[in-house]
Amino acid sequence: MKKSKSSVIRFLYAASESSADVFYLGGVFVPDPFLSMQVDGKSYAVVSRLEYGRVKAQSNYHEVYLLESVQAEAVKSLGLKGQFAGPAELMLFFAKKFKVRTAEVPADFPAVYYAALRDAGLKVQISEDSFFPQRAIKSDLEAAAIREGNAASAAGIRAAEQVLRASQIVGKRLKYDGAILTSERLRTIIDQACLGKGAIAQNTIVAGGVQATDPHEGGHGPLKPNELIIVDVFPRVQKTGYHGDMTRTFLKGNANDAQRALVAAVRESQLAAIRKIKAGVSGATVHAAAADVFTAKGYETKRVDDGFVGFIHSTGHGLGLEVHEEPRVSPKAGRLRKGHVVTVEPGLYYPEIGGCRIEDVVRVAKDGCELLSTCHYRWELK
Amino acid sequence: MKKSKSSVIRFLYAASESSADVFYLGGVFVPDPFLSMQVDGKSYAVVSRLEYGRVKAQSNYHEVYLLESVQAEAVKSLGLKGQFAGPAELMLFFAKKFKVRTAEVPADFPAVYYAALRDAGLKVQISEDSFFPQRAIKSDLEAAAIREGNAASAAGIRAAEQVLRASQIVGKRLKYDGAILTSERLRTIIDQACLGKGAIAQNTIVAGGVQATDPHEGGHGPLKPNELIIVDVFPRVQKTGYHGDMTRTFLKGNANDAQRALVAAVRESQLAAIRKIKAGVSGATVHAAAADVFTAKGYETKRVDDGFVGFIHSTGHGLGLEVHEEPRVSPKAGRLRKGHVVTVEPGLYYPEIGGCRIEDVVRVAKDGCELLSTCHYRWELK
């Protein structure tokens, strides 16, 4: 194996269940933190005997080491007589083995190992930006996996729609299948529909009325007729690790003029943003296009008492192995590149009218963008 | 507010969705990383306007700051003319505001902020052990939340049992509801049962035959009659964040003598371990009690070719906001304390017989332990 003096060893130490970077490198889910690394374009992992067989068979690593064996080797190689080789010692061992003096680690690398490597004399660079910038550029296979995630989202949203359609209005409540329909109950039905598509939904939002004007409020208690209900579903497909992320806003009963105008403005804003998207255009420009629609229609964004009203979040975010990842579609965001996958989800929130958000997912192309999510936009359910 | 010279500011920077420490401090789920901290026994958080209202209303923090306001204050206070105040700058601002020169951070604190704080002249101590040692000692309320998690696990396991009972043996396959029963299908049914109890199950294991002898293999493809099938379910209750973790091993059809002996040995080992558990006894002693049962019966643990057979994992682990947390029940584990909650899950794995694991959860008491999980142990399903 060629070794140039300028070689760098890139360390990751996390569970691939929770770290998208670790999963991206190895392509296999491991529930507990473990060491993986890159040297000279090759990738390696060190796993315990509980994981060894599975990781060796299913991962993309060039080589998989058995933790117990490497620990013994490290103790010998580093002269740690009678001591235990923990993660930092294993990293020092591999730096020595690969004859490398400089390490690179991601911004979220555990401080305890960073400090130990530095104290041991290794030069350690912290990657302030993305550790794998190519993660933001989605291949056709990744786009298909995100489509699959959105199919799960759509299954959840359609399940919610069917339940709302089948519900009866009884005074200020909705009744479904003999019992009062709550946010919690509808959320469970949505999440079960996602599971039916092989995807795990967490923190699904089913928020009606004033609750929906707090964008990260999940929603609780009985849903009411004649109120806007935001349904935001972002499940992760268990097999691939990729997410879907879609939002629709429904209303059961009869909408008033203010609600109709609000929903129409949000959809118009979404379309204006989507029309702007193509490679080379900045996320800031796309966000401005969405915001301009609201401004032109007189929807103000401002602080009111302890809260905020109007268009109070950014237009979108990257989507992939994480629900929120690079790039952003927000006031200061940089250029979109071909292959970026982003959500487009403008919204308006006013306690006296309600909240509305409509969200789809697109992949940026040379001359426009490709929709990776499909679900109709009918929202008034009689 | 009293300020002693010895004050330390303790920083956390992570999403409470993914960091149990952050959730433990604030008691509210936030999906993106944010700054939280402790000074002089009081706790604080800095969140964006998207989270502000909800976190202020629902969290345990003594004070919640609005990110956008604090950023402006930090720019002024630190003289960052025209610059942006990122997380590290906010931390430096609060150290200054609280007149503290020493910070403490957890082992998994992001290296990039650790380095920035040190470079700015702050003394930073990395907590090598648990950041909140009291997290390992469960209150009655926490024990009840873990019981609820195990009730969800049990609902999943009972759903699996019912499906296996209702299945027909057709040659070397099981048929349920008109179609071949696979690990994937049974997993979905289990996970949906957990959701029905308000808990999200991830990586549920449904592994039969040789697959079950690789303890972290999730299981895939058709399930077969007359083979041991391990069902391991560890969902997280959405409302509280606490987990359940239970395992049962089933067999559909007729067991042979080797399978019966294996299952009996695992249950005997589990009971031997549970009988040892009380405050003051070491996890190592408990593990030895479980292992001794196997040794006495002639079940060897050893490396065979590329794999391992026998009792190839530890007896248990702490359970709470994380599936794996302190303390351990393993060969070198320290003393158990009153209030510790641990799994007790010995297992045996031999490709020629199959795998068996039986897992329950207990809370350590002064004179013994209290079972936090309930489900029968019948396993041969005709």
Side-chain angles (χ1 to χ4, degrees), chain A residues 17 32 49-51 54 58 66 107 109-112 126 191-192 195 200-203 215-216 303 308 324, chain B residues 17 32 49-51 54 66 107 109-112 126 191-192 195 200-203 215-217 303 308 324:
Chain A
E17 294 271 346
D32 291 309
R49 61 183 183 175
L50 271 187
E51 309 289 358
R54 192 175 60 91
Q58 296 174 10
L66 180 65
F109 189 74
V112 67
I126 302 173
D191 292 354
Q192 286 180 324
L195 260 186
I200 292 179
Q202 297 202 60
N203 308 304
H216 279 193
R303 183 162 187 167
F308 298 85
H324 293 162
Chain B
E17 294 270 346
D32 291 308
R49 60 183 183 176
L50 271 187
E51 309 288 358
R54 191 175 61 91
L66 180 65
F109 189 75
V112 67
I126 302 173
D191 292 354
Q192 286 179 324
L195 261 187
I200 292 180
Q202 298 202 60
N203 308 303
H216 280 193
E217 161 67 51
R303 183 161 187 167
F308 298 85
H324 293 161

Side-chain angles (χ1 to χ4, degrees), chain A residues 328-364:
Chain A
R328 307 281 149 175
V329 185
S330 57
K332 288 171 189 168
R335 286 196 181 182
L336 293 171
R337 292 175 56 195
K338 192 181 161 205
H340 275 163
V341 167
V342 295
T343 66
V344 186
E345 50 174 315
L348 285 175
Y349 311 88
Y350 296 97
E352 64 280 14
I353 306 174
C356 175
R357 183 166 64 252
I358 301 174
E359 174 181 29
D360 284 288
V361 177
V362 301
R363 181 160 67 149
V364 179

